[in-house]
Amino acid sequence: MGFVEEIKRSLTVAPFECAWGEELRFGQPGRGCVAFEASAQNDVTLVFRQQPGSQHYHYKMDSSRHYTVILGSHRNKRLRIEVDGSTVVDVAALGLCCSSSFQAYWISIYDGLISIGQGRHPNTNLLFQWLDPDPNPNVQYVGLSSWDKHVGYRNVSILPAAPRNSILWNHIKHAYADSDQRLCCGKRGFRDDSDQRLLADFLESWDFSDAVFVVGIERKVVPAHKIVLCASGDFPFQIAEGATIELPSVSYPVLHSLLEYIYTGSTQIAEWLLSSLLELSSHFKIKSLVKCCEEIIDCLEVDNKLSESGRILKLSGSGFQDHKFGSFPLKAPVDAQKIGQFLANGKHSDINIHVNGHGLVAKGHKLILSLWSVPLAKMFTNGMKESSTSDVFFKDVPPEAFFCLLQ
């Protein structure tokens, strides 16, 4: 049984101080989650180390191994992660802290995977993830700290951390962050009550994601969907539950362009990265993107314009809009025939569809169903029991008709 301890009382940490306690301790070294509420103008700071420190401990003076997570640094404009005093993540995150009211957050550590989110429930409303290439297996104590202003903490809970895949595969409302754009703290959702979602809405979204890329030397975690990837190219997903593709030599902008092309049918990329995009698309056999890259490179070579410049090139496939259904939501280079095969054989499915009195009708895919049906999409994402289960039951419907609808 996991270790769970909660501090109901509130406490205020003075500038440059830190609160420790035996109750602020993971049940297992290197694996744990802290959920809490905080009120501050800036720099809500949590330290994770093997042993507790003193009241006047400060992470800047710590020579031992530790992690530090800072919400609202640089006057409430940044989110930072430090390892042993060195900054490894520093991204835009405007307005994470609030001094007029308490805000809920959670931070999970599992074998070096640091996940940070907002809200009362861990593993939801993810803000950022970072995977330590050299995990610290001994971090166990949590320190509640500050910078130059008082920070109020309350309702602090120490919880077991879910394994990496469990965190990644949950239906997480993800607010994407990177160093070049503002962190969006709102939830992805429908444009209004009647709008149908497009595949582009799921680009790098944690909704229904069941795969991740770990990209570049910074080991950025990027979510994706196996059914979309495998209907577009050749991706090495051999296991039933969870999938991680490591791309240490690929930069994030190149991966982003590849995924953007798959999910939307077009993308853009700096000219000096075009050959890298060609190499990556060739590796995963995204044939239409390979062809597009090769044609542009040939044109540039003929015109003697191939250069190392930062000029932005636009790449767009042809014919992706010409489906036999005018409202077909997969307006991208996704093979609809393969999608049909996956429905028939149940591959990459994440939902078992039952009709009362007739048992299992099909093994489906929440993302595909959500593209076609707004009511089903809301059922899978609005907190109903179907949002967190792999089985859904329908009644008063002929199974043959329902299967035709799925097809």
Side-chain angles (χ1 to χ4, degrees):
M1 189 171 180
F3 174 83
V4 180
E5 185 68 42
E6 183 170 3
I7 305 172
K8 292 289 187 183
R9 69 181 187 278
S10 62
L11 60 93
T12 300
V13 178
F16 308 108
E17 291 190 359
C18 193
W20 303 90
E22 280 299 317
E23 68 275 17
L24 297 173
R25 180 182 182 181
F26 290 164
Q28 182 180 3
R31 298 177 177 181
C33 178
V34 57
F36 61 96
E37 296 178 18
S39 176
Q41 292 183 33
N42 51 260
D43 293 275
V44 173
T45 304
L46 284 86
V47 183
F48 303 85
R49 64 198 306 266
Q50 183 175 1
Q51 298 293 334
S54 68
Q55 177 184 350
H56 297 287
Y57 164 93
H58 201 272
Y59 63 93
K60 292 290 187 184
M61 308 298 292
D62 191 348
S63 59
S64 65
R65 296 198 67 188
H66 64 283
Y67 294 125
T68 305
V69 175
I70 307 170
L71 306 172
S73 69
H74 293 77
R75 302 195 179 199
N76 205 16
K77 296 178 181 178
R78 314 286 293 178
L79 182 154
R80 293 176 63 191
I81 301 175
E82 295 187 5
V83 177
D84 306 336
S86 298
T87 300
V88 294
V89 171
D90 186 358
V91 298
L94 189 64
L96 272 184
C97 300
C98 179
S99 59
S100 60
S101 63
F102 279 87
Q103 304 295 309
Y105 311 91
W106 57 267
I107 300 172
S108 171
I109 298 178
Y110 192 97
D111 294 348
L113 179 66
I114 300 177
S115 307
I116 303 164
Q118 285 185 305
R120 298 177 182 275
H121 305 292
N123 303 337
T124 59
N125 298 334
L126 184 73
L127 295 176
F128 199 84
Q129 277 187 319
W130 177 76
L131 187 59
D132 188 351
D134 181 24
N136 182 346
N138 299 315
V139 292
Q140 193 166 12
Y141 284 89
V142 181
L144 308 176
S145 191
S146 62
W147 181 237
D148 60 344
K149 300 285 194 305
H150 287 78
V151 178
Y153 293 92
R154 73 180 185 188
N155 296 333
V156 183
S157 302
I158 301 296
L159 307 163
R164 285 185 190 176
N165 287 353
S166 176
I167 293 173
L168 297 177
W169 317 139
N170 276 342
H171 309 316
I172 297 173
K173 298 289 188 179
H174 179 256
Y176 180 71
D178 67 22
S179 57
D180 298 319
Q181 62 187 20
R182 178 183 178 272
L183 181 96
C184 173
C185 296
K187 295 182 180 179
R188 293 176 184 263
F190 300 99
R191 289 169 288 279
D192 60 42
D193 286 343
S194 61
D195 269 351
Q196 182 178 359
R197 298 182 87 172
L198 300 176
L199 186 57
D201 295 326
F202 291 93
L203 173 63
E204 296 186 22
S205 168
W206 289 95
D207 285 353
F208 313 132
S209 66
D210 55 0
V212 293
F213 294 89
V214 180
V215 62
I217 57 174
E218 73 277 18
R219 298 181 64 78
K220 185 178 184 67
V221 179
V222 181
H225 307 83
K226 285 191 286 187
I227 188 171
V228 176
L229 299 178
C230 292
S232 306
D234 185 8
F235 290 81
F237 299 132
Q238 303 300 327
I239 54 177
E241 292 294 333
T244 301
I245 296 179
E246 300 262 359
L247 298 173
S249 60
V250 175
S251 67
Y252 168 71
V254 174
L255 176 65
H256 173 75
S257 290
L258 179 124
L259 293 177
E260 185 175 45
Y261 184 87
I262 290 173
Y263 281 73
T264 70
S266 63
T267 188
Q268 56 185 20
I269 195 167
E271 183 176 335
W272 67 279
L273 291 174
L274 183 59
S275 59
S276 297
L277 180 59
L278 171 60
E279 182 179 353
L280 188 63
S281 56
S282 298
H283 177 72
F284 292 123
K285 299 181 182 178
I286 314 297
K287 294 179 181 178
S288 58
L289 181 54
V290 170
K291 181 181 178 182
C292 194
C293 290
E294 289 177 339
E295 288 176 349
I296 292 177
I297 289 174
D298 288 344
C299 290
L300 293 173
E301 287 177 342
V302 168
D303 295 336
N304 293 318
K305 292 181 179 179
L306 191 62
S307 70
E308 294 294 309
S309 77
R311 181 175 52 160
I312 301 300
L313 302 174
K314 294 184 178 181
L315 294 83
S316 180
S318 59
F320 300 134
Q321 310 296 330
D322 301 328
H323 292 284
K324 60 183 177 180
F325 301 111
S327 61
F328 197 79
L330 295 175
K331 296 180 179 179
V334 176
D335 188 335
Q337 230 176 358
K338 284 189 177 180
I339 298 287
Q341 292 171 4
F342 295 152
L343 173 64
N345 60 30
K347 197 171 183 180
H348 310 310
S349 67
D350 57 358
I351 186 73
N352 300 316
I353 301 171
H354 303 262
V355 173
N356 285 358
H358 299 276
L360 181 67
V361 172
K363 289 179 171 289
H365 307 83
K366 289 182 178 180
L367 185 149
I368 302 301
L369 295 172
S370 297
L371 291 176
W372 282 99
S373 168
V374 172
L376 286 176
K378 291 186 176 181
M379 182 173 71
F380 294 143
T381 58
N382 69 359
M384 296 172 65
K385 64 180 181 180
E386 291 83 5
S387 301
S388 57
T389 183
S390 58
D391 292 277
V392 60
F393 296 85
F394 294 92
K395 60 182 180 179
D396 301 328
V397 57
E400 297 83 6
F402 198 87
F403 189 70
C404 288
L405 179 145
L406 292 177
Q407 290 179 313

